[in-house]
Amino acid sequence: MPTIKKSVKFSGVGIHSGAPVNMVVKPSRRRGIFFRRTDLDKNLIPVKFDNVGDTKMRNTTIGDLDSAHVKTIEHFMAAMFMAGIDSAIVDIDGPETPILDGSAIEFYRAISAAGTTGGKIKRVFVRRPVYVGAYDVFRSLPFWMRAKIWFMNLLTRRNIDGFVKLTPNDNNSLNIYATLVYREKIIGYQSFSYTYDGTKKSVADFVKNIARARTFGKYAEWEYLKKRGMARGANENNVIALNDAGDGTLNKTFWPDEFVRHKIIDAIGDMFTSNGFIIGNLESYKGSHAMNNMLLKKLFSNPDNYDIIDA
Ligand SMILES: [Zn+2]
């Protein structure tokens, strides 16, 4: 039951609310990662795939949107996983984690510097292939939402495609292979792979090649979203903004394929809502938080799909 050695505080603004938020990650004797909304009822909100309330706004929300919840937990969760921590209480005084620089690096640096104590994260071995397609997510939506997506796709000549897939491997690692396909030329077709096997080398690889990759979005969408109370905290310091022509960015990128590298952070964070180290190959082709969440639900819905080893 590895937990954090001492408390760490993060302050910043939420990417959607734009409001200041403080969050303190504290050691815990209870297994699991729990948020506690100090501005509300202070009930524990377990960070668990079966307690994911919403994935529509391109982020992962824990808890019910109608009651105590915390949005955009994925970058923080990726950092916790890489630091080897599966148990903590996270006091937070708002509905969303601070976006910081839009990547996982600040979370990771501070959490790993605080240190880890008390063993290892349990391992979850994938035993049978599990697959979720974009269409499976579409089908699960309420009728009005399906109608809206269907209509929008017709207008923009888009299809419902993409999938995420977990398959077994025998090298004791989580291998992630992610692909993005965008019409915007600056992204186009990008793939990136990353392997975590629990060694320091694989953590160093994460820090060097993945952790700094930031969230991205279309600049033209910001104004639209901001009017609707979303993306209010988005700025050129925490989001890579694509220009209107789609052939460039308004701020500098660290790498030309920073976009797909960021997808790997999201995938690591989402997979860690299992509270385990998933041993398997994760292939994500135009994947999403919604697909990642459905994939975990499917994996754990049948005991033949996995084995848990808690050393
Ligand atoms: Zn993200």
Side-chain angles (χ1 to χ4, degrees):
M1 213 196 74
T3 189
I4 194 162
K5 263 190 192 157
K6 54 178 195 223
S7 299
V8 194
K9 187 177 175 185
F10 298 96
S11 298
V13 297
I15 189 153
H16 287 306
S17 64
V21 61
N22 300 291
M23 117 181 197
V24 184
V25 187
K26 297 175 167 174
S28 168
R29 285 166 183 272
R30 180 172 172 165
R31 190 161 220 174
I33 296 167
F34 299 89
F35 277 98
R36 195 161 56 184
R37 284 282 299 272
T38 55
D39 57 327
L40 296 175
D41 52 19
K42 298 190 180 177
N43 290 335
L44 295 180
I45 310 170
V47 183
K48 199 75 202 293
F49 67 93
D50 53 8
N51 189 35
V52 165
D54 184 67
T55 48
K56 283 188 293 294
M57 268 317 299
R58 294 195 217 151
N59 59 16
T60 298
T61 296
I62 234 57
D64 204 339
L65 277 183
D66 299 328
S67 56
H69 64 267
V70 180
K71 287 182 189 165
T72 322
I73 53 126
E74 58 272 20
H75 309 157
F76 163 69
M77 286 302 285
M80 292 290 269
F81 177 71
M82 296 310 304
I85 295 168
D86 73 1
S87 301
I89 304 282
V90 188
D91 281 344
I92 188 163
D93 62 1
E96 198 177 5
T97 67
I99 189 66
L100 306 176
D101 72 348
S103 78
I105 192 71
E106 289 183 41
F107 280 129
Y108 175 75
R109 284 215 173 111
I111 291 164
S112 61
T116 306
T117 177
K120 290 211 151 52
I121 296 173
K122 67 186 178 199
R123 286 177 297 166
V124 179
F125 289 82
V126 177
R127 295 301 187 203
R128 294 200 308 195
V130 184
Y131 174 97
V132 168
Y135 204 79
D136 297 318
V137 172
F138 177 76
R139 260 199 324 229
S140 73
L141 299 172
F143 174 77
W144 63 271
M145 221 187 276
R146 287 199 313 255
K148 199 171 137 190
I149 291 170
W150 179 83
F151 184 66
M152 287 304 290
N153 281 352
L154 200 70
L155 283 181
T156 55
R157 283 190 246 146
R158 271 171 218 273
N159 297 316
I160 296 168
D161 61 355
F163 65 86
V164 291
K165 189 169 84 178
L166 273 172
T167 49
N169 74 34
D170 52 12
N171 44 19
N172 264 310
S173 60
L174 170 63
N175 304 318
I176 303 176
Y177 182 72
T179 299
L180 284 182
V181 184
Y182 271 73
R183 285 182 187 181
E184 288 73 17
K185 255 204 271 168
I186 189 75
I187 305 182
Y189 187 103
Q190 297 190 338
S191 289
F192 206 81
S193 62
Y194 169 70
T195 295
Y196 174 77
D197 59 8
T199 60
K200 280 186 178 161
K201 192 171 170 283
S202 65
V203 175
D205 183 19
F206 171 80
V207 172
K208 185 166 177 255
N209 296 310
I210 311 282
R212 283 189 306 146
R214 289 157 298 167
T215 310
F216 57 92
K218 288 179 209 159
Y219 187 72
E221 276 179 359
W222 291 16
E223 294 308 307
Y224 173 89
L225 291 172
K226 280 180 186 183
K227 271 184 207 140
R228 281 156 185 78
M230 295 175 279
R232 282 192 172 150
N235 63 53
E236 47 291 324
N237 297 317
N238 55 33
V239 178
I240 310 171
L242 306 189
N243 66 15
D244 292 353
D247 58 1
T249 54
L250 302 188
N251 35 5
K252 263 206 183 118
T253 51
F254 294 130
W255 309 275
D257 57 0
E258 186 168 349
F259 313 96
V260 70
R261 293 180 195 229
H262 183 81
K263 276 288 185 185
I264 299 216
I265 296 179
D266 289 341
I268 294 172
D270 283 348
M271 287 302 112
F272 196 36
T273 60
S274 65
N275 287 137
F277 168 12
I278 295 199
I279 309 279
N281 307 315
L282 173 67
E283 187 180 350
S284 170
Y285 175 80
K286 300 174 77 173
S288 65
H289 293 299
M291 283 188 239
N292 288 342
N293 184 246
M294 201 178 254
L295 188 69
L296 287 182
K297 284 180 176 158
K298 211 164 165 183
L299 174 72
F300 291 109
S301 68
N302 184 339
D304 292 341
N305 289 345
Y306 65 93
D307 279 318
I308 293 179
I309 293 183
D310 201 355

